[in-house]
Structures are given as structure tokens and as C-alpha cells.
Amino acid sequence: QVQLVESGGGLVQPGGSLRLSCTASGTMLSIYSLGWHRQAPGKVREFVALVRWGDGDTYAADSVKGRFTISRDSTNNTVYLDMNNLKPDDTAAYYCKLEAQIVRNRVDDFWGQGTQVTVSS
């Protein structure tokens, strides 16, 4: 069974920084990508950033480019999201998302429980 363990959310003042981490575990044939989405109250869930596992390429939403950096520890199936210069608009529940092969010829999505990030003075 695949599990995603998230950590690192909290309350921070505007301009501050936080680091989120997500570790994937369980039986998987391969990982396709590991990354983050977020959902603010009353809004749809949106993509934040991901690491494509095969080549390590990273992708980020325009709204966070230059402020958020995603990185990985491939040995431990972990991704980190370093968030700098946080703004009140970044307030949301942040969800780790895993794309992985559990069975051949199919890629499935798995979601973490979410970790709250609140940016407020």
C-alpha cells in the first residue's frame, strides 16, 4: 500500500519562509512524479510544483516561480518544497501528489492528507 507522509506546514509572516517535505513509501514499480498542489478555501485545487522522477526535471506554477523551489532525495523517495517570500495568497492546504506505477501499463495518482500553510501578520 502506498503512503505519503507530509510535514512542514505552519504559520508564517509575509516575507517569511517554510519548507515542506513529502516521503512516498510502499510497493511501487516506479515513480513517475512527486510534487505539490494546494487548495485555498473556496477555490479549486491547483498545481504548485513537481519533480519528474526519471530525469529529475522540475516544473513550477508561474505564481510561485522565483519564490518556491522543489528538490528531491531520490534515495528516500522524498521531495522538498522550499517556499520563500511567502505572501498571504499562498495560504492554503498543501497536498503532496504522487504519480506512480503500481501495476504494469498504468499510472495512478496518490494524494497526501495535506498540510496547512498560513501566511499572516
Side-chain angles (χ1 to χ4, degrees), residues 38-47:
R38 68 185 181 186
Q39 187 167 18
K43 295 189 177 181
V44 298
R45 192 171 294 188
E46 64 176 4
F47 168 73

Side-chain angles (χ1 to χ4, degrees), residues 2 28-33 98-103 106-110:
V2 173
M28 296 174 277
L29 295 176
S30 64
I31 293 176
Y32 183 74
S33 73
L98 167 71
E99 295 179 291
Q101 272 193 309
I102 306 304
V103 297
R106 194 179 82 197
V107 177
D108 291 314
D109 294 345
F110 300 88

Side-chain angles (χ1 to χ4, degrees), residues 34-110:
L34 190 57
W36 295 92
H37 282 61
R38 68 185 181 186
Q39 187 167 18
K43 295 189 177 181
V44 298
R45 192 171 294 188
E46 64 176 4
F47 168 73
V48 176
L50 67 80
V51 178
R52 194 167 60 189
W53 219 247
D55 56 16
D57 281 354
T58 62
Y59 302 86
D62 287 343
S63 59
V64 305
K65 281 180 182 177
R67 299 188 300 122
F68 292 10
T69 301
I70 191 166
S71 59
R72 71 172 177 176
D73 174 356
S74 57
T75 300
N76 295 306
N77 291 344
T78 298
V79 289
Y80 303 98
L81 185 68
D82 289 298
M83 306 184 293
N84 298 308
N85 190 21
L86 282 159
K87 305 175 181 180
D89 283 349
D90 295 318
T91 296
Y94 283 70
Y95 295 91
C96 182
K97 179 184 176 184
L98 167 71
E99 295 179 291
Q101 272 193 309
I102 306 304
V103 297
R104 293 187 189 279
N105 302 316
R106 194 179 82 197
V107 177
D108 291 314
D109 294 345
F110 300 88

